[in-house]
Every structure is written in structure tokens, then in C-alpha cells.
Coordinates of all heavy atoms in Angstrom, one line a residue:
C1 N 0.8 -1.2 0.0 CA 0.0 0.0 0.0 C 0.8 1.3 0.0 O 1.9 1.3 0.3 CB -0.9 0.0 1.2 SG 0.0 0.0 2.8
L2 N 0.3 2.3 -0.5 CA 0.8 3.6 -0.4 C -0.1 4.5 0.5 O -1.4 4.4 0.2 CB 0.9 4.2 -1.8 CG 1.8 3.5 -2.8 CD1 1.6 4.1 -4.2 CD2 3.3 3.7 -2.4
R3 N 0.4 5.2 1.4 CA -0.5 6.0 2.3 C -0.3 7.4 2.1 O 0.8 7.9 2.2 CB -0.2 5.6 3.7 CG -0.7 4.1 4.0 CD -0.4 3.8 5.5 NE 1.1 3.6 5.8 CZ 1.6 2.4 5.6 NH1 1.0 1.3 5.1 NH2 2.9 2.2 5.9
Y4 N -1.4 8.2 1.9 CA -1.3 9.6 1.8 C -2.5 10.2 2.7 O -3.5 9.6 2.9 CB -1.6 10.1 0.4 CG -0.6 9.6 -0.6 CD1 -0.6 8.4 -1.3 CD2 0.5 10.4 -0.9 CE1 0.3 8.0 -2.2 CE2 1.5 9.9 -1.7 CZ 1.3 8.8 -2.4 OH 2.4 8.4 -3.2
K5 N -2.1 11.3 3.4 CA -3.1 11.9 4.3 C -4.0 12.7 3.7 O -5.2 12.8 4.2 CB -2.2 12.8 5.4 CG -1.4 11.9 6.2 CD -0.7 12.7 7.3 CE 0.2 11.7 8.0 NZ 0.3 11.8 9.5
K6 N -3.6 13.4 2.5 CA -4.6 14.2 1.8 C -4.7 13.8 0.4 O -3.6 13.5 -0.3 CB -4.1 15.7 1.9 CG -4.1 16.2 3.2 CD -3.6 17.7 3.3 CE -3.5 18.1 4.7 NZ -2.8 19.5 4.7
P7 N -5.8 13.9 -0.3 CA -5.9 13.6 -1.7 C -5.1 14.3 -2.5 O -4.5 13.9 -3.6 CB -7.4 13.7 -2.0 CG -8.1 13.7 -0.7 CD -7.1 14.2 0.3
E8 N -4.8 15.6 -2.3 CA -4.0 16.6 -3.1 C -2.6 16.2 -3.0 O -1.7 16.6 -3.8 CB -4.2 18.0 -2.8 CG -4.0 18.4 -1.3 CD -5.3 18.3 -0.5 OE1 -6.2 17.8 -0.8 OE2 -5.1 18.8 0.8
D9 N -2.1 15.3 -2.2 CA -0.7 14.9 -2.0 C -0.5 13.7 -2.9 O 0.8 13.3 -3.2 CB -0.4 14.4 -0.5 CG -0.4 15.6 0.4 OD1 -0.4 16.8 0.0 OD2 -0.6 15.4 1.6
I10 N -1.5 13.1 -3.5 CA -1.2 11.8 -4.3 C -0.8 12.2 -5.7 O -1.4 13.0 -6.4 CB -2.6 11.1 -4.5 CG1 -3.3 10.7 -3.1 CG2 -2.4 9.9 -5.3 CD1 -4.5 10.1 -3.0
P11 N 0.4 11.6 -6.1 CA 0.9 11.9 -7.4 C 0.2 10.8 -8.3 O 0.8 9.8 -8.8 CB 2.5 11.6 -7.3 CG 2.6 10.6 -6.1 CD 1.4 11.0 -5.2
Y12 N -1.0 11.3 -8.8 CA -1.8 10.2 -9.7 C -1.0 9.9 -11.0 O -1.1 8.7 -11.3 CB -3.0 10.9 -10.1 CG -4.0 11.0 -8.9 CD1 -4.2 12.3 -8.3 CD2 -4.7 9.9 -8.4 CE1 -5.1 12.4 -7.2 CE2 -5.5 10.1 -7.3 CZ -5.7 11.3 -6.7 OH -6.5 11.4 -5.7
E13 N -0.3 10.7 -11.7 CA 0.3 10.5 -12.8 C 1.4 9.4 -12.6 O 1.7 8.3 -13.4 CB 0.9 11.7 -13.6 CG -0.1 12.5 -14.2 CD 0.5 13.6 -14.9 OE1 1.7 13.6 -15.3 OE2 -0.3 14.6 -15.1
L14 N 2.2 9.6 -11.5 CA 3.3 8.6 -11.1 C 2.7 7.2 -10.8 O 3.2 6.2 -11.3 CB 4.0 9.2 -10.0 CG 5.2 8.3 -9.4 CD1 6.2 8.1 -10.6 CD2 5.8 9.0 -8.2
I15 N 1.6 7.1 -10.1 CA 1.0 5.9 -9.8 C 0.4 5.3 -11.0 O 0.6 4.0 -11.1 CB -0.2 6.1 -8.7 CG1 0.5 6.5 -7.5 CG2 -1.0 4.8 -8.5 CD1 -0.4 6.9 -6.3
G16 N -0.1 6.0 -11.9 CA -0.5 5.5 -13.2 C 0.7 4.9 -14.0 O 0.5 3.7 -14.6
E17 N 1.8 5.5 -14.0 CA 3.0 5.0 -14.6 C 3.5 3.8 -14.0 O 3.8 2.7 -14.6 CB 4.1 6.1 -14.6 CG 5.3 5.7 -15.4 CD 6.3 6.8 -15.4 OE1 6.1 8.0 -15.0 OE2 7.5 6.5 -15.9
L18 N 3.4 3.7 -12.7 CA 3.7 2.4 -11.9 C 2.9 1.4 -12.3 O 3.4 0.2 -12.6 CB 3.6 2.7 -10.3 CG 3.9 1.5 -9.5 CD1 5.3 1.0 -9.7 CD2 3.5 1.9 -8.1
A19 N 1.6 1.6 -12.4 CA 0.6 0.5 -12.8 C 0.9 0.0 -14.2 O 0.7 -1.1 -14.5 CB -0.9 1.0 -12.7
S20 N 1.4 0.9 -15.0 CA 1.5 0.5 -16.5 C 2.8 -0.3 -16.6 O 3.0 -0.9 -17.7 CB 1.6 1.7 -17.4 OG 2.8 2.4 -17.1
K21 N 3.7 -0.4 -15.6 CA 4.9 -1.1 -15.7 C 4.9 -2.6 -15.5 O 5.8 -3.4 -15.8 CB 6.0 -0.6 -14.8 CG 6.5 0.8 -15.2 CD 7.6 1.4 -14.3 CE 8.2 2.7 -14.9 NZ 9.0 2.6 -15.9
L22 N 3.7 -3.0 -15.0 CA 3.4 -4.5 -14.8 C 2.2 -5.0 -15.4 O 1.1 -4.2 -15.4 CB 3.2 -4.8 -13.3 CG 4.4 -4.9 -12.4 CD1 3.9 -5.1 -10.9 CD2 5.3 -6.1 -12.8
T23 N 2.3 -6.2 -16.2 CA 0.9 -6.6 -16.7 C 0.2 -7.3 -15.7 O 0.8 -7.6 -14.5 CB 1.2 -7.6 -17.8 OG1 1.9 -8.6 -17.3 CG2 2.0 -7.0 -19.0
P24 N -1.1 -7.5 -15.7 CA -1.9 -8.2 -14.8 C -1.3 -9.7 -14.6 O -1.2 -10.1 -13.4 CB -3.3 -8.4 -15.4 CG -3.4 -7.1 -16.2 CD -2.0 -6.9 -16.8
Q25 N -0.7 -10.2 -15.6 CA -0.2 -11.6 -15.4 C 1.1 -11.6 -14.5 O 1.3 -12.4 -13.6 CB 0.0 -12.3 -16.7 CG 0.5 -13.8 -16.5 CD -0.6 -14.6 -15.8 OE1 -1.6 -14.6 -16.1 NE2 -0.1 -15.2 -14.7
Q26 N 1.9 -10.5 -14.7 CA 3.1 -10.4 -13.9 C 2.7 -10.2 -12.4 O 3.4 -10.7 -11.7 CB 3.9 -9.2 -14.5 CG 4.6 -9.4 -15.8 CD 5.3 -8.2 -16.4 OE1 4.7 -7.1 -16.3 NE2 6.5 -8.3 -16.8
W27 N 1.8 -9.4 -12.2 CA 1.3 -9.1 -10.9 C 0.8 -10.3 -10.2 O 1.2 -10.6 -9.0 CB 0.3 -8.0 -10.8 CG -0.3 -7.8 -9.4 CD1 -1.5 -8.2 -8.9 CD2 0.4 -7.1 -8.3 NE1 -1.6 -7.8 -7.7 CE2 -0.5 -7.3 -7.2 CE3 1.7 -6.6 -8.1 CZ2 -0.1 -6.7 -6.0 CZ3 2.0 -6.2 -7.0 CH2 1.2 -6.2 -5.9
I28 N 0.0 -11.2 -10.9 CA -0.5 -12.4 -10.3 C 0.7 -13.4 -10.2 O 0.8 -13.9 -9.1 CB -1.4 -13.1 -11.5 CG1 -2.7 -12.2 -11.5 CG2 -1.8 -14.5 -11.0 CD1 -3.8 -12.5 -12.6

């Protein structure tokens, strides 16, 4: 998990980039 205290602190683009680096099968 990643924990943020405020929604405005979340780097959404970076998290999206992180999610794109693994395929669902790799995660499984």
C-alpha cells in the first residue's frame, strides 16, 4: 500500500505510470 493523508498529495500520474509497468499476469 501507499498511504497519503490528503488527496491533493497523491501523485496520480506517477501511480498510473507504476501501474503500467506491470501486466496483470506479472502481478499475479
Side-chain angles (χ1 to χ4, degrees):
C1 64
L2 300 169
R3 294 179 285 273
Y4 295 94
K5 294 185 185 221
K6 298 177 185 174
E8 57 269 14
D9 293 342
I10 301 171
Y12 291 103
E13 288 183 22
L14 180 60
I15 292 173
E17 188 176 347
L18 174 64
S20 71
K21 290 186 176 283
L22 278 179
T23 66
Q25 188 57 54
Q26 287 171 315
W27 176 252
I28 291 168

